[in-house]
Amino acid sequence: MLKPKERLAISPQPMPEQDPAERRKNVQEVPLGYTPELAMKEANRCLGCKKAPCIAGCPVGVDIPAFIAMIEQGDFKGAIAKIKETNLLPAVCGRVCPQEEQCQLVCTVAKSHKDRNKSVQIGKLERFAADFERKSGQIELPVLPQKTGRRAAVVGAGPAGLTVAGDLIKLGHEVTVFEAFHKPGGVLGYGIPEFRLPKEIVYTEADTLERLGVEFRYNSVVGKSVELSELVSQYDSVFVGTGAGLPNFMRIPGENLLGVYSANEYLTRANLMRAYEFPNADTPIIRGKTVITVGGGNVAMDSARTALRMGADRSIIVYRRSEAEMPARIEEVHHAKQEGVDFHLLQTPVRILGSDKGWVSSLEIQRMELGPPDQSGRRRPVPVEGSNFTMPADVVIIAIGNSPNPLIPQSTPDVQVNRWGCIVVNERTGQTSMKGVFAGGDIVLGAATVILAMGEGRRAAKAMHAYMMGTLWENLEQAPPAPQGTAG
Amino acid sequence: MNRIIDKRTIGPAVNRYVIEAPLVAKRRKPGQFVIVRVSQSGERVPLTIAGADPVAGTITLVVQSVGKTTLEMAQLKAGDMILDLLGPLGRPTHIDKFGTVLCVGGGIGVAPLFPITCGMKEAGNRIVSILGARTRDLLIMEEEMRSVSDETIVTTDDGSYGRKGLVTDAISALHQDGVKLDLCVAIGPPVMMKFVSRLTKQLGIPIVVSLNPIMIDGTGMCGGCRVMVGGETKFACVDGPEFDGHLVDFDGLIQRLSIYREHECLAMERYRKEHPDVSLT
C-alpha cells in the first residue's frame, strides 16, 4: 500500500495521442486511451481522501474514489460496474466532460499541488474503465427489478434523454424514446465529431439500453409526427430533452452565399451523415481549401478541426474576444492549435463577400479591442473603427451558438418557456408548467454541456419515478434536499 | 422502416409510390412533406406528399428520378422497404374559401399541387387549373387534376398537347378574358414559380408557392434550407415550405440549389457505372 506522500510524488500519467500531423488527415480519435499499466499507475495517485470533493464536483455524483481504488487493484470489471451505478454513459463522459471544471478542479491532489493540471486524471480513468469493458465485448447488464407497470415517454435520444431512459428502465418502468433523427445520440451523434467521440460508442450505449428493454422510435418528431399532448395521455410521465438545435446566424450580408454553413449543418453532414466518406456515403459537403470558422466555443473548435480533416489547407478561427475569454475547453483549443488551426482573435466578420456565381470568396473583418465586462463577466469586445480588412475563404462556418429547439414550445402552449425559448422547470424536480411533463438539458439550460444534460436527466428521472409511483411531494417546501452530487 | 405497398411508373422517370406510414397518413395535411433515406449510407431527401389514406395508413409520393438517391429509390419494388421516413414536416397549406383559386403546376409540381387543389375545392372555391410541361410525355396526373377542377388548361412548350406555350401565357390569357382570380397556388421548377410570381404581382393576384431547397434534417436544426423571403431569412422546412411568392428571392434559391452540382454528377456517374443495367426511365 502506497503512503500518501508516495502517491503525491507520482506525476500525472500523460494520455497517448495521435501525432498532430497524422491526425489532421483522419477521423480516428485523437487521445488513444490509457493502457492498463498507465491506468493503474494513475490510479495510484488518488489519496482516497475522506472528504472526496470529487463526488460533489460530478454533476451525476459518480463514486470516484471507489472506482479508482478498483482500478488500482486491477479490478477493472468492478470499476466499470461501480461507475455504472450512477453513470450509464461513461464512455461518452470520459471523452467529452470538462472534468477540469468539475471533479478534477476540486480534487485534493490538485489542491495539494496548487495546480489543477496535477489532479488525479479522473476523466481518463473513467474512459479507460468504459473502453476496457466495451473492447472485452462483455457488457454486463444490471439485473432489473420487477416491472412497475408504469410507462414513461422520453422525447429526444440525446444525453439527457438517454440518461432518463437508463435511470427509469433500471427502476422497472417501461420506457419509449422518440427521436427525430434516424440514429440515437442527439448532439453526441450529429455535433461532436468522430475524432472526439466515435459514433460506435454512442450506438453501443443506445444498444445496451435497448437490450435492457428501452424502446427506441426513430424518425419520430414530437410536435409533427405525434403531439406532446398525445404522449401525455398515453404515458404516465413524459420527459422533454429536445436540445438546443436551432442555429444562430450573424445576420450579416452574404450569409446565404454558397459555402456558408451553420456549424450544425457542417457538423451534421460530416458526423451524422459521414460526408467525409463521400462518394461512399451519399451526403455531400463543400471541402474548401481555406475555411474560416466564426466563434470560440467547443463547436467552433470541432468545426475548424473537422475542416482540416475535410482537406483544408488552412483552417482559421475568427473570434471577437481574446483567448482568455474563449468558452471552448482548453484541451480542445490546444488540440486545434497542435493540428495547425490558426487563431485570429479580437476579430469579427462584418460582411461575407462572394463571386458573381454566388460562392463565398472572402470575409470582411473588423478588429476588436476589449472594453469593460458585460453581464457574463467577460470583457466586452468593442470595434476598432477603420480597422477593416478582408480575408479570403471558400467555406465559412458560423459557430456562434445555438438556441433551444422551438418545436415543442410552439406546438404545446401549455409548456412555459422564457424569453430565450428555454423551457421553464422547477429546479428540484425538472417538472415543467405542464403536469407530468418534465424537461432537462439544453432545452432548459440553453446550449450547454453533455454532462449537465445528464445531470438534469438524472434529476428529472428521480422526480418522474416519484411522480409515477405517487410519492412526489406536491408541496415543494416539504421536499427533501436534492441528494449530494446531483444537479439542481 | 416503411414498406412500399405499390409502385408504378406514371411518366418518363416518374414513379408513384404508395408507402405504409400510418402515423404520417393520420396527421398529414396538404402541403406537407417527408424526409426519406433509402440506404445505410444514404442522404436525407425531402419529398412532397402527393396524397394519403388515413384509413389504409398509407401515403403517396410521386418522385422524379433526377439524381442518385431518387434513381436508387426507383429500383425498389412493392414489398421493399424504405429505410427511413420522417413526417409530416412543414406547415400545411392555408386552405380557406377565397373565391376562385388558380392552381398552376409545372412538370412534377403537379403531384404536390393535387392534394392542395382537392383541399381548396372542398373549401368551396372555384378551381381553375393550369398544367404545364415541356412536352406531352412529361405531363402527369392530368385526369386527377381535371376531376377536381372547374376548368383545366394544359400547356406544352412544344405544342405537342394542349396549348403551345408557357403557363404564364395561359395566365395572361385568363386575365385578358377578364377572369377574376382571388389566389394563385403555383408549384413547379423554381424558375417557373419565379416567373409566375412576377406575372401575378403585375396582375395583382396573391400567390403562394412551395419551395424545394436542399434539406438535411427537415426539422429546423441546421439552416441548410434557408431562403430570403421579404428580406428575412426563413427556414423552408419549418417556416415553409410555402411562402408568398411575391416576397421570395427566387434567384437566391436557384443559386443555392446548385451548390452540389459537381457532387451530384459524380454520384450519378458512379451509380450508373456500378449499375449499367439500370434504366433511366
Side-chain angles (χ1 to χ4, degrees):
Chain A
M1 266 290 266
L2 291 178
K3 297 205 193 58
K5 229 176 151 179
E6 291 168 312
R7 294 182 189 279
L8 285 172
I10 307 172
S11 303
Q13 300 303 293
M15 171 68 92
E17 283 186 350
Q18 262 201 82
D19 170 69
E22 264 311 297
R23 73 190 196 222
R24 55 175 274 171
K25 294 185 255 157
N26 68 46
V27 293
Q28 270 94 67
E29 277 198 272
V30 171
L32 299 168
Y34 276 162
T35 57
E37 294 73 32
L38 280 173
M40 288 171 74
K41 191 148 186 222
E42 180 61 34
N44 276 332
R45 298 183 62 234
C46 175
L47 299 171
C49 63
K50 266 208 202 79
K51 242 187 90 188
C54 49
I55 303 182
C58 171
V60 296
V62 172
D63 190 348
I64 295 167
F67 91 75
I68 294 183
M70 290 180 189
I71 293 181
E72 191 183 344
Q73 284 148 37
D75 178 12
F76 305 145
K77 255 183 102 172
I80 189 61
K82 178 56 61 179
I83 294 170
K84 283 189 168 175
E85 280 173 17
T86 41
N87 182 357
L88 278 177
L89 306 175
V92 173
C93 287
R95 285 167 166 79
V96 305
C97 271
Q99 295 97 4
E100 65 279 4
E101 303 295 334
Q102 296 167 173
C103 50
Q104 289 172 197
L105 179 67
V106 296
C107 168
T108 302
V109 172
K111 290 268 151 80
S112 205
H113 289 294
K114 291 197 174 62
D115 182 356
R116 75 159 110 162
N117 293 326
K118 296 220 169 83
S119 76
V120 175
Q121 302 296 292
I122 301 169
K124 298 177 174 79
L125 289 171
E126 177 181 38
R127 179 197 154 145
F128 166 78
D131 287 354
F132 190 84
E133 184 189 47
R134 191 169 47 88
K135 287 180 199 158
S136 76
Q138 288 162 357
I139 299 183
E140 289 245 351
L141 297 179
V143 176
L144 295 183
Q146 208 172 23
K147 288 284 174 205
T148 61
R150 310 291 201 274
R151 304 166 69 225
V154 173
V155 185
L162 291 175
T163 300
V164 172
D167 283 2
L168 291 180
I169 200 88
K170 274 171 64 168
L171 290 167
H173 303 295
E174 297 289 348
V175 182
T176 302
V177 178
F178 294 83
E179 167 56 46
F181 268 132
H182 53 281
K183 291 254 191 256
V187 76
L188 303 173
Y190 73 77
I192 302 183
E194 182 72 16
F195 55 85
R196 273 183 68 206
L197 178 62
K199 301 309 141 217
E200 186 231 322
I201 290 175
V202 179
Y203 302 154
T204 303
E205 307 280 47
D207 185 63
T208 303
L209 290 177
E210 245 181 325
R211 286 165 60 201
L212 286 170
V214 173
E215 183 197 357
F216 282 89
R217 292 207 204 157
Y218 297 109
N219 301 309
S220 299
V221 184
V222 175
K224 285 282 180 213
S225 321
V226 58
E227 288 301 336
L228 188 65
S229 50
E230 288 174 66
L231 297 184
V232 170
S233 61
Q234 290 166 20
Y235 292 85
D236 298 302
S237 67
V238 180
F239 177 78
V240 175
T242 46
L246 183 65
N248 295 340
F249 282 97
M250 293 196 74
R251 311 268 180 229
I252 56 176
E255 234 168 358
N256 292 343
L257 287 165
L258 305 186
V260 181
Y261 286 104
S262 70
N264 269 5
E265 183 184 353
Y266 192 77
L267 293 172
T268 297
R269 284 180 180 273
N271 300 327
L272 180 68
M273 307 308 295
R274 290 163 31 223
Y276 55 83
E277 288 177 5
F278 182 90
N280 289 329
D282 291 341
T283 302
I285 195 169
I286 302 299
R287 288 179 174 248
K289 287 284 151 217
T290 304
V291 179
I292 296 183
T293 300
V294 183
N298 290 320
V299 176
M301 297 307 119
D302 287 342
S303 303
R305 294 170 70 196
T306 298
L308 286 173
R309 285 153 178 82
M310 290 293 155
D313 291 331
R314 285 195 73 199
S315 180
I316 300 163
I317 289 270
V318 167
Y319 178 59
R320 61 192 184 134
R321 294 187 223 247
S322 74
E323 187 161 340
E325 285 86 30
M326 283 180 82
R329 283 185 74 190
I330 293 175
E331 180 180 313
E332 303 307 333
V333 173
H334 173 65
H335 281 147
K337 284 184 179 169
Q338 278 182 317
E339 287 161 17
V341 173
D342 283 326
F343 282 71
H344 285 232
L345 303 167
L346 291 167
Q347 291 180 16
T348 200
V350 295
R351 257 190 325 153
I352 308 179
L353 302 152
S355 70
D356 51 5
K357 289 254 177 6
W359 287 89
V360 168
S361 60
S362 60
L363 273 152
E364 182 183 324
I365 307 233
Q366 186 173 48
R367 295 190 196 278
M368 313 293 272
E369 57 192 5
L370 289 179
D374 67 12
Q375 280 174 316
S376 71
R378 292 180 293 162
R379 293 181 66 185
R380 148 160 271 144
V382 172
V384 175
E385 294 306 324
S387 65
N388 298 28
F389 65 100
T390 54
M391 220 193 301
D394 32 40
V395 171
V396 177
I397 303 171
I398 308 289
I400 58 170
N402 290 313
S403 300
N405 186 304
L407 203 46
I408 285 185
Q410 270 173 9
S411 56
T412 323
D414 283 342
V415 172
Q416 199 193 347
V417 293
N418 67 16
R419 64 188 159 115
W420 293 292
C422 299
I423 294 183
V424 175
V425 299
N426 176 292
E427 266 182 31
R428 288 201 171 287
T429 61
Q431 180 155 231
T432 67
S433 55
M434 208 169 158
K435 196 159 190 256
V437 177
F438 298 75
D442 284 0
I443 192 70
V444 169
L445 301 170
T449 64
V450 166
I451 191 65
L452 284 176
M454 291 176 62
E456 299 239 309
R458 168 75 22 97
R459 167 186 71 186
K462 270 195 173 65
M464 287 165 77
H465 171 67
Y467 176 80
M468 290 192 286
M469 304 305 280
T471 60
L472 182 68
W473 299 94
E474 295 288 51
N475 180 353
L476 294 162
E477 301 285 305
Q478 295 171 18
Q484 200 185 28
T486 57
Chain B
M1 295 225 276
N2 299 71
R3 185 179 306 277
I4 299 174
I5 303 297
D6 187 70
K7 179 223 174 186
R8 57 190 71 186
T9 304
I10 64 168
V14 180
N15 293 296
R16 171 194 268 135
Y17 304 80
V18 176
I19 300 170
E20 200 171 60
L23 293 178
V24 182
K26 198 172 77 166
R27 294 182 52 83
R28 152 271 169 196
K29 297 193 170 51
Q32 292 187 300
F33 64 97
V34 291
I35 291 258
V36 158
R37 241 174 46 110
V38 296
S39 77
Q40 283 294 354
S41 56
E43 54 167 348
R44 297 166 63 93
V45 298
L47 297 170
T48 340
I49 302 172
D53 184 341
V55 172
T58 61
I59 62 169
T60 301
L61 305 179
V62 173
V63 185
Q64 191 170 36
S65 309
V66 291
K68 192 240 173 171
T69 299
T70 44
L71 191 52
E72 200 171 17
M73 189 174 168
Q75 310 314 309
L76 298 173
K77 304 177 298 295
D80 288 339
M81 303 296 256
I82 300 277
L83 184 60
D84 292 296
L85 190 145
L86 165 65
L89 300 174
R91 293 183 192 220
T93 313
H94 171 60
I95 295 186
D96 209 339
K97 190 162 177 192
F98 297 97
T100 302
V101 178
L102 176 64
C103 296
V104 185
I108 193 79
V110 177
L113 184 66
F114 176 61
I116 297 170
T117 310
C118 295
M120 290 292 186
K121 180 77 183 154
E122 268 170 45
N125 293 291
R126 186 181 134 78
I127 305 289
V128 178
S129 291
I130 302 177
L131 315 181
R134 276 185 285 123
T135 182
R136 180 186 194 148
D137 275 349
L138 298 174
L139 271 172
I140 57 165
M141 299 176 70
E142 184 192 346
E143 283 315 306
E144 289 93 331
M145 284 298 289
R146 279 192 191 277
S147 72
V148 292
S149 307
D150 295 284
E151 190 188 337
T152 307
I153 301 158
V154 178
T155 66
T156 48
D157 293 12
D158 63 359
S160 52
Y161 186 65
R163 294 190 212 173
K164 181 165 188 213
L166 305 172
V167 297
T168 39
D169 299 325
I171 298 173
S172 298
L174 281 171
H175 178 77
Q176 268 159 27
D177 288 345
V179 178
K180 183 173 183 298
L181 300 162
D182 299 291
L183 175 72
C184 177
V185 178
I187 307 184
V191 67
M192 169 231 160
M193 292 190 287
K194 170 180 169 182
F195 283 102
V196 173
S197 295
R198 195 177 280 184
L199 177 60
T200 51
K201 188 159 188 192
Q202 282 168 16
L203 302 179
I205 308 168
I207 183 169
V208 167
V209 293
S210 181
L211 303 184
N212 61 338
I214 294 171
M215 289 186 189
I216 302 92
D217 62 292
T219 59
M221 58 75 76
C222 81
C225 64
R226 60 191 185 279
V227 290
M228 293 296 275
V229 182
E232 285 182 6
T233 300
K234 299 282 181 193
F235 291 1
C237 65
V238 291
D239 300 317
E242 289 173 15
F243 295 100
D244 176 348
H246 296 154
L247 300 178
V248 171
D249 170 14
F250 283 101
D251 290 335
L253 170 68
I254 290 167
Q255 203 163 65
R256 283 182 66 77
L257 279 167
S258 73
I259 184 174
Y260 298 112
R261 237 356 84 81
E262 275 182 34
H263 300 76
E264 290 163 3
C265 287
L266 176 62
M268 217 15 181
E269 266 170 43
R270 264 192 71 171
Y271 185 74
R272 291 178 58 187
K273 221 161 113 186
E274 286 163 11
H275 302 88
D277 49 329
V278 160
S279 77
L280 290 180
T281 56

